[in-house]
Amino acid sequence: MKYPKIPLAQSILEIFRAKGIQHIVISPGSRNAPLTIGFVNNPNFTCYSVADERCAAFFALGIAQQIKKPVAVVCTSGSALLNYYPAFAEAFYSEIPLIVVSADRPKSKIDIGDGQTIRQENVFANHSLFNANLDEFPSDENDFLINEAINTAFAKKGPVHINAPFEEPLYETVEELVIHPKVISNTHINKDIYAISNYANLWNQSQKKLVLIGGLNPNEIEQKYLNHLGNDVSVVVMTEVTSNVHHPNFITNIDTIITPFSEQDFIEFQPDILLTFGGMIVSKRIKAFLRKFQPKQHWHIDELRAYDTYGCLTKHFEITPNIFFENFFSKTVEIESNYQKELLKIRALRLEKHVDYLSKIPFTDLKAFDIILPKLKSKSQLQISNSSPIRYAQLISMNPTIEVFCNRGTSGIDGSTSTAIGAATASGKPTVLIAGDIGFLYDSNALWNNYIPKNFKIILMNNGGGGIFRILPGHDESPVFNTFFETSHCLTAEHLAKMYGFEYLTASNETTLEHSLEAMFAQNEKPVLLEVFTPTLENDKVLLQYFRELV
């Protein structure tokens, strides 16, 4: 087998192999040549070449999202490393394991005017769970740092950084390893199962319990615990499209329910106990409600972190939800309450108004989502970009067998397409990405990728700009707003699609959208991009009127 001659590169490769790191996303460069040679020539690794480092990192993020194990990204020295930061931050807040390996020049070459050098050590310090700043020469200390970085990515489910300095020559190879690095096993910490009797007593005394579930992996929570919550009349469970949990009594459209609430409605809905688990919440309205009408108790369940999103966090249970519920429900009892019943009545009323309103609106973003989402294929995967698409998706019911993902860690528009392609590559499942025009154009280099599955499909919502800014406070129809906030444009994805080998379809009304969706799902020999054009000036009016029509 061919190995890089540089001992430090051999140490990294051998420890990665021993730790079971399989997927390696490499961006071409010279300084990282020893690592590239080693990874590509070793059958234990599956390697991908993605030229744009920002896209490469999000592509790796998508793979890690699906396999739930660390994925490595490898780059050359200099500014290449900085392009990993958006995905690195997303991995931190979404608790996705990502290992950045950056090749560097030796310390003697930093800050002397040498080409392609920056201060790479600790460059991700604000969001990195561990920084392994290696020495140029092999050592036990280097081995420890490499091991610790990988172990941390596994244990703490987040991003780590390994910075490896290499001196020229970089391309020399050998047939045998010259070093045998130490491999240190990950020490698992058994966290105590908290004495939860006192909390169960509070639960049993409370007639109004709100369970708010953020983003979760499909099948992460055992259904028997979800059923227990859904069947408890004193519990209202609110979910989002990324929660990937289902029960007939769950409230799946938070904004539709609470946006029309009066002050008195909010007072009556105010919970005694708020129980949260899962990732970041999309709905700004539920955040505003809970910050103003705070519960007496807010408990969050997560092995690693608890954010005080609503300013009233009282308890962090540092265990998995399944372990929590297994121990908690044995100590709880059902009590009389009309808390859930009243919300389900409101849900039924809102649904009636929802159906009536959508039956009479013109072709806009909201109408398009009402057509698209019910037509997604069962047991497929939906990736959604940020800004408008993820918010529209909260309003429309969807087949519960569809798995839904969105980069809600930082909620940025960058990288959604790259993440979706990485996820589709890893999962092998039929995958649809619904993206907004600005986010798609921003990440258009994502299509510069040789690993796009044939059954990958993009539905591009093109409303001529950043439509979400039209429904935010401060909107006025002026050149300043249109240029610097909305980013008005007249661009389409037609030539991008053709350049990268996608079949290109369009739709601009209900009829063409129905036909194009049918053609899109019939095509499985090449990826498809369906561009849906909606009217810039009508979308915000239709959406804002939607919430007025719900009462």
Side-chain angles (χ1 to χ4, degrees):
M1 190 182 296
K2 186 185 294 186
Y3 298 99
K5 185 176 181 180
I6 296 175
L8 176 58
Q10 291 185 14
S11 295
I12 293 170
L13 293 159
E14 282 302 288
I15 296 173
F16 271 52
R17 180 192 60 77
K19 291 287 186 182
I21 306 301
Q22 178 186 353
H23 297 276
I24 315 293
V25 181
I26 303 170
S27 292
S30 181
R31 189 59 50 170
N32 58 334
L35 293 171
T36 301
I37 291 168
F39 281 125
V40 170
N41 285 287
N42 193 316
N44 291 287
F45 302 111
T46 301
C47 296
Y48 310 84
S49 176
V50 180
D52 184 316
E53 283 87 3
R54 187 176 71 184
C55 295
F58 277 109
F59 178 79
L61 186 85
I63 297 174
Q65 175 199 88
Q66 295 297 307
I67 68 171
K68 303 173 186 60
K69 294 179 182 179
V71 173
V73 283
V74 179
C75 70
T76 191
S77 63
S79 60
L81 175 61
L82 303 181
N83 289 292
Y84 285 160
Y85 214 140
F88 199 93
E90 178 64 34
F92 177 83
Y93 287 108
S94 289
E95 297 186 3
I96 294 176
L98 192 70
I99 302 173
V100 164
V101 186
S102 55
D104 199 357
R105 278 161 166 71
K107 290 182 181 179
S108 61
K109 299 290 181 67
I110 307 301
D111 287 342
I112 65 167
D114 210 31
Q116 222 171 329
T117 59
I118 63 170
R119 299 171 187 176
Q120 294 183 195
E121 292 188 356
N122 305 316
V123 74
F124 302 125
N126 283 340
H127 297 93
S128 182
L129 299 178
F130 189 83
N131 298 299
N133 298 308
L134 306 182
D135 186 75
E136 181 183 350
F137 304 102
S139 64
D140 289 347
E141 175 64 16
N142 273 347
D143 292 351
F144 170 79
L145 291 172
I146 298 165
N147 276 277
E148 191 65 17
I150 298 171
N151 290 345
T152 301
F154 271 108
K156 296 187 177 181
K157 300 178 184 176
V160 297
H161 178 205
I162 299 172
N163 191 61
F166 298 126
E167 183 57 283
E168 298 178 3
L170 302 168
Y171 293 87
E172 293 183 339
T173 62
V174 293
E175 298 299 320
E176 300 288 339
L177 291 169
V178 297
I179 52 91
H180 298 282
K182 293 181 179 179
V183 177
I184 304 169
S185 61
N186 190 12
T187 54
H188 180 72
I189 300 174
N190 291 315
K191 295 184 179 178
D192 292 334
I193 297 174
Y194 296 91
I196 58 180
S197 297
N198 291 338
Y199 295 96
N201 291 335
L202 286 171
W203 183 271
N204 293 336
Q205 295 165 16
S206 302
Q207 293 186 319
K208 296 194 294 183
K209 281 100 72 170
L210 175 61
V211 176
L212 182 59
I213 306 177
L216 289 168
N217 291 314
N219 305 311
E220 186 172 342
I221 310 298
E222 291 188 41
Q223 190 62 41
K224 63 182 178 181
Y225 302 134
L226 299 172
N227 292 342
H228 188 109
L229 292 168
N231 294 331
D232 189 329
V233 295
S234 66
V235 175
V236 168
V237 179
M238 288 188 152
T239 71
E240 299 199 304
V241 69
T242 53
S243 301
N244 289 301
V245 294
H246 306 282
H247 186 277
N249 293 337
F250 287 179
I251 303 296
T252 60
N253 44 357
I254 297 172
D255 287 355
T256 300
I257 299 294
I258 71 171
T259 300
F261 271 7
S262 65
E263 188 85 357
Q264 185 59 38
D265 291 331
F266 279 123
I267 291 171
E268 292 176 4
F269 182 49
Q270 182 178 10
D272 302 317
I273 296 173
L274 170 66
L275 178 65
T276 58
F277 55 95
M280 304 296 187
I281 294 295
V282 176
S283 172
K284 293 177 70 173
R285 291 176 173 91
I286 196 69
K287 292 176 192 174
F289 159 64
L290 291 169
R291 286 165 183 163
K292 183 176 181 181
F293 298 90
Q294 293 184 340
K296 299 184 184 78
Q297 297 281 326
H298 173 203
W299 310 336
H300 186 73
I301 311 168
D302 189 280
E303 277 189 294
L304 301 171
R305 304 179 208 162
Y307 296 110
D308 193 6
T309 305
Y310 314 105
C312 55
L313 183 68
T314 54
K315 183 61 179 177
H316 175 200
F317 292 98
E318 296 181 68
I319 49 179
T320 66
N322 286 326
I323 294 175
F324 173 83
F325 291 131
E326 179 184 4
N327 290 273
F328 186 68
F329 286 150
S330 64
K331 297 175 174 62
T332 62
V333 295
E334 291 190 16
I335 62 171
E336 291 294 321
S337 173
N338 64 353
Y339 190 51
Q340 184 187 97
K341 180 180 178 182
E342 291 303 314
L343 259 291
L344 292 178
K345 276 193 209 173
I346 293 170
R347 185 181 72 174
L349 172 65
R350 298 280 194 265
L351 178 59
E352 183 181 326
K353 298 291 185 180
H354 168 96
V355 172
D356 180 62
Y357 181 70
L358 266 73
S359 69
K360 60 189 180 185
I361 61 174
F363 188 75
T364 50
D365 282 346
L366 182 58
K367 187 66 175 180
F369 273 86
D370 188 45
I371 295 170
I372 292 167
L373 294 184
K375 284 188 165 48
L376 297 177
K377 300 302 180 183
S378 62
K379 299 181 180 179
S380 64
Q381 194 171 102
L382 173 63
Q383 297 273 340
I384 311 179
S385 74
N386 279 303
S387 288
S388 296
I390 187 61
R391 286 172 170 80
Y392 277 110
Q394 308 290 338
L395 307 177
I396 311 295
S397 296
M398 202 182 310
N399 185 323
T401 68
I402 296 170
E403 301 174 353
V404 185
F405 297 89
C406 179
N407 286 346
R408 290 304 298 178
T410 63
S411 307
I413 63 167
D414 47 352
S416 293
T417 308
S418 298
T419 302
I421 294 170
T425 301
S427 73
K429 296 177 180 178
T431 301
V432 173
L433 165 69
I434 301 181
D437 48 357
I438 299 299
F440 174 81
L441 292 169
Y442 195 80
D443 193 31
S444 61
N445 264 4
L447 304 185
W448 184 15
N449 183 309
N450 293 326
Y451 311 101
I452 301 173
K454 292 180 180 179
N455 60 358
F456 180 71
K457 306 179 194 311
I458 299 173
I459 300 176
L460 174 58
M461 304 299 301
N462 190 340
N463 53 28
I468 193 170
F469 289 100
R470 293 182 163 272
I471 60 174
L472 296 177
H475 165 238
D476 67 334
E477 207 62 50
S478 67
V480 169
F481 173 83
N482 294 339
T483 301
F484 293 100
F485 289 91
E486 186 185 32
T487 321
S488 297
H489 68 87
C490 297
L491 301 173
T492 79
E494 179 179 5
H495 298 295
L496 276 173
K498 291 178 179 177
M499 180 169 70
Y500 289 114
F502 279 67
E503 180 171 338
Y504 179 71
L505 304 170
T506 64
S508 56
N509 55 49
E510 293 181 44
T511 301
T512 55
L513 180 55
E514 296 269 4
H515 290 161
S516 291
L517 285 169
E518 185 177 345
M520 182 185 80
F521 287 119
Q523 171 61 273
N524 285 306
E525 296 304 313
K526 62 190 299 190
V528 180
L529 193 155
L530 165 57
E531 190 161 18
V532 182
F533 296 95
T534 62
T536 304
L537 300 179
E538 295 297 320
N539 286 315
D540 61 313
K541 297 173 186 175
V542 168
L543 181 61
L544 292 172
Q545 186 60 29
Y546 168 76
F547 293 110
R548 299 186 191 107
E549 297 270 343
L550 291 172
V551 292

